[in-house]
Amino acid sequence: MTIDSARVSENERTLLARVPKGLFIAGEWRDAAGGATFGVEDPATGDLLAHVADASAADGATALEAARAAQPTWAATPPRERSDILDRAYHAVVERIEDFALVITLEMGKPLAESRGEVRYAADFLKWFSEQAVRIRGDYRVSPDGQSRLLTLRQPVGPSLLISPWNFPLAMITRKVAPALAAGCTAVLKPAEDTPLTCQLLAEVLSDAGLPPGVLSVLPTSDPAGLVGPMLADERLRKVSFTGSTAVGQNLLIGAAQNVLRTSMELGGNSAFLVFDDADLDAAVEGALLAKLRNGGESCVAANRILVQSGVADEFAERLADRISQVKVGRGTEPGTQLGPMINREQRDRVQLLVDDAVRGGATVVTGGSAPDSDGYFYEPTVITGVSASARITHEEVFGPVAPVYTFDHENEALRAANDTRFGLVSYAYTRDIGRALRVAEGLEAGMVGVNRGLVSNAAAPFGGVKQSGLGREGGFEGIDEYLSVKYVAIDKP
Ligand code: NAP
């Protein structure tokens, strides 16, 4: 396979020129303290898209001071006003869907149709949390001895550091920024180095929507440890919310211990996708395609291990391979593209290593299995069967368009295999038997379960994992609680 991608067009250059390139601190765009910048690449071609300011520890301290200074006023701002700002930002993002989608596609690579889907999903968090800002509750209890009253109220945690990954350059950010702002927390946001441009556009939208200076700062950087390390040690910070790999999350938890920060950790996954003999096989194949290839497989909720009951395993693998081999690979801006490039060379090479390791352990490549000839970081959509339990791909997040298919005989065996991982983000089960669906949903060690659905993400649902997939929840009623502390007030019986 050879892929010859179009280079950056005039239209794309015009849009990129309009994206702010500075650091956003205290309501203004400015250069980094040391004047440094770093480049952002088009993963479909390796072309340079833009340079953005490169924040250092000094910029982190300035942004944190702005967040500290703005915190009391923002916390005291009427919830309805905070809600209105988020609502205006929601409408602005939806109105500018084409700009946001194109910037996402340019810097992250996914097809434009998927980028539009991400923009809608991301905007939903602004809408949802604009609605939650005015619903922060407390309560009034009578002590068991009847002698006092126990009042509880929820107050903003305080200045929060938000760190996001590159795979959903907008949605992983609004999922944090919207509840933080709704709760009355000020925030400093560090986007991923590969995809800072989408975040710059969002900062512009929030500022135009009326967000007061200092409430949100945005600091792209090429030195995440150098920026974040000192911030975690700074007593002005009260919370860190992170989405990314388990390895980085573990380090941040150690750093957060210094100041006993509130933490939210949305980490890696190793999702099992179970297909039972009694499943609707058409639906299961379509669900697996979605759970595997959405976002090019570069998703924490991607189906990492597809486990199929022996009665339907051969037919399922054949049908999945047939569908996957027809997927059109190309630059995300090209009409008809269904799978874009991977984010960078390192991720692409890592996927190849995992496939090669599985093949060395006895697996068969049914379709795909290599990187096409191109200037970008493409990888062929791939199905492999006969993967051993000890292969690296069985235990590590593949984060690419590779579907390993395994076989099982009994329900208990499937559950044991599904749970045999240090991760616990999401799992999926396809069956027509409601009893089995509930048994399996209860037995899976995961924060989320998709029953006869290959997609669980929804702004109104609590997203998050168990085990080494993380701490806390984003979205739903739970998402705002991550940015609120409960205060209890004791008062004598009136
Ligand atoms: P990553 O390498 O852990 O990076 C995530 C973020 O952390 C980026 O902004 C990164 O900056 C920053 N970072 C890296 N090293 C750091 C350090 N030492 N100190 C502070 N910040 C640091 O993850 P990724 O490759 O971007 O994303 C893929 C991972 O995210 C996968 O494991 C996926 O499962 C997980 N993920 C989880 C969820 C969820 O909701 N559970 C959602 C999406 C993704 P740079 O960009 O500069 O490296």
Side-chain angles (χ1 to χ4, degrees):
M1 189 190 276
T2 302
I3 294 172
D4 221 352
S5 296
R7 316 313 285 208
V8 185
S9 71
E10 271 314 301
N11 271 355
E12 292 162 6
R13 288 255 174 251
T14 308
L15 172 61
L16 290 169
R18 293 208 310 267
V19 176
K21 309 293 185 314
L23 307 179
F24 185 67
I25 301 179
E28 338 176 307
W29 295 98
R30 49 172 91 171
D31 290 339
T37 62
F38 67 94
V40 183
E41 260 191 11
D42 175 354
T45 57
D47 287 351
L48 183 73
L49 295 173
H51 277 101
V52 295
D54 193 355
S56 63
D59 299 302
T62 310
L64 200 46
E65 178 51 27
R68 186 207 58 76
Q71 180 59 58
T73 314
W74 184 241
T77 300
R80 177 63 70 198
E81 278 180 37
R82 298 201 301 262
S83 165
D84 286 346
I85 292 171
L86 289 172
D87 192 51
R88 284 197 290 275
Y90 161 77
H91 286 286
V93 169
V94 171
E95 266 164 35
R96 294 184 65 184
I97 184 168
E98 290 305 319
D99 285 356
F100 273 102
L102 184 52
V103 173
I104 291 174
T105 291
L106 288 175
E107 63 178 352
M108 187 272 168
K110 72 181 86 171
L112 265 179
E114 281 201 56
S115 294
R116 291 190 190 101
E118 178 181 347
V119 178
R120 283 188 285 269
Y121 173 51
D124 274 354
F125 288 103
L126 295 166
K127 186 70 175 172
W128 175 261
F129 286 108
S130 78
E131 294 161 342
Q132 302 313 310
V134 290
R135 292 185 173 80
I136 296 168
R137 289 162 302 116
D139 65 12
Y140 183 100
R141 310 173 195 178
V142 177
S143 65
D145 64 7
Q147 294 310 303
S148 63
R149 298 298 176 258
L150 323 176
L151 278 61
T152 64
L153 54 145
R154 286 182 167 73
Q155 295 179 310
V157 168
S160 301
L161 173 60
L162 315 177
I163 305 175
S164 60
W166 48 263
N167 63 342
F168 290 93
L170 189 60
M172 294 303 97
I173 290 178
T174 54
R175 206 165 77 169
K176 296 185 189 304
V177 168
L181 299 181
C185 293
T186 58
V188 178
L189 174 55
K190 191 215 90 58
E193 190 176 334
D194 286 315
T195 58
L197 301 170
T198 310
C199 181
Q200 300 285 92
L201 268 192
L202 179 71
E204 184 178 63
V205 160
L206 281 162
S207 176
D208 292 349
L211 200 65
V215 172
L216 177 71
S217 294
V218 175
L219 305 180
T221 185
S222 66
D223 178 15
L227 173 72
V228 168
M231 291 181 79
L232 295 179
D234 190 317
E235 288 185 9
R236 290 172 291 189
L237 188 70
R238 290 310 320 139
K239 152 122 199 164
V240 58
S241 173
F242 171 75
T243 298
S245 61
T246 295
V248 173
Q250 286 165 326
N251 270 328
L252 294 178
L253 282 169
I254 292 170
Q258 300 167 83
N259 276 318
V260 193
L261 296 177
R262 276 282 289 275
T263 57
S264 301
M265 295 282 146
E266 295 287 348
L267 309 178
N270 182 6
S271 307
F273 187 101
L274 310 182
V275 181
F276 291 94
D277 280 347
D278 62 26
D280 173 341
L281 218 55
D282 294 335
V285 169
E286 291 312 308
L289 262 180
L290 178 65
K292 182 69 258 180
L293 287 193
R294 172 174 171 257
N295 221 46
E298 293 173 311
S299 157
C300 54
V301 289
N304 214 50
R305 297 167 294 151
I306 300 178
L307 283 75
V308 190
Q309 202 159 11
S310 38
V312 292
D314 289 346
E315 186 184 348
F316 179 90
E318 214 171 283
R319 288 172 63 174
L320 183 66
D322 184 48
R323 292 284 278 111
I324 275 194
S325 61
Q326 292 168 35
V327 163
K328 185 166 180 274
V329 185
R331 190 175 191 246
T333 49
E334 278 155 31
T337 293
Q338 293 168 298
L339 179 68
M342 301 198 57
I343 188 68
N344 54 36
R345 186 181 304 279
E346 189 189 344
Q347 290 286 341
R348 201 253 328 257
D349 293 350
R350 197 179 152 270
V351 167
Q352 186 67 63
L353 277 180
L354 291 180
V355 170
D356 291 346
D357 170 78
V359 169
R360 269 197 305 278
T364 305
V365 175
V366 186
T367 183
S370 57
D373 187 20
S374 88
D375 291 340
Y377 312 122
F378 295 92
Y379 197 80
E380 290 174 345
T382 298
V383 175
I384 50 179
T385 54
V387 183
S388 82
S390 60
R392 281 180 60 187
I393 206 166
T394 307
H395 303 282
E396 295 178 31
E397 201 177 16
V398 58
F399 234 61
V402 177
V405 180
Y406 306 75
T407 307
F408 69 87
D409 289 319
H410 305 292
E411 186 180 307
N412 282 344
E413 183 191 343
L415 266 180
R416 252 197 322 275
N419 292 336
D420 184 16
T421 166
R422 65 192 174 104
F423 298 106
L425 192 57
V426 63
S427 284
Y428 306 87
Y430 274 73
T431 172
R432 285 192 175 100
D433 176 343
I434 181 74
R436 167 176 277 160
L438 291 174
R439 244 183 350 260
V440 169
E442 286 185 15
L444 284 167
E445 294 169 3
M448 301 171 287
V449 178
V451 175
N452 296 326
R453 271 188 70 86
L455 179 68
V456 295
S457 305
N458 193 304
F463 190 105
V466 298
K467 296 160 83 175
Q468 292 186 25
S469 287
L471 301 166
R473 293 295 180 267
E474 290 190 324
F477 299 114
E478 294 81 355
I480 197 166
D481 289 339
E482 301 284 325
Y483 297 90
L484 293 166
S485 325
V486 175
K487 181 180 280 176
Y488 147 57
V489 179
I491 189 161
D492 273 349
K493 176 181 168 185

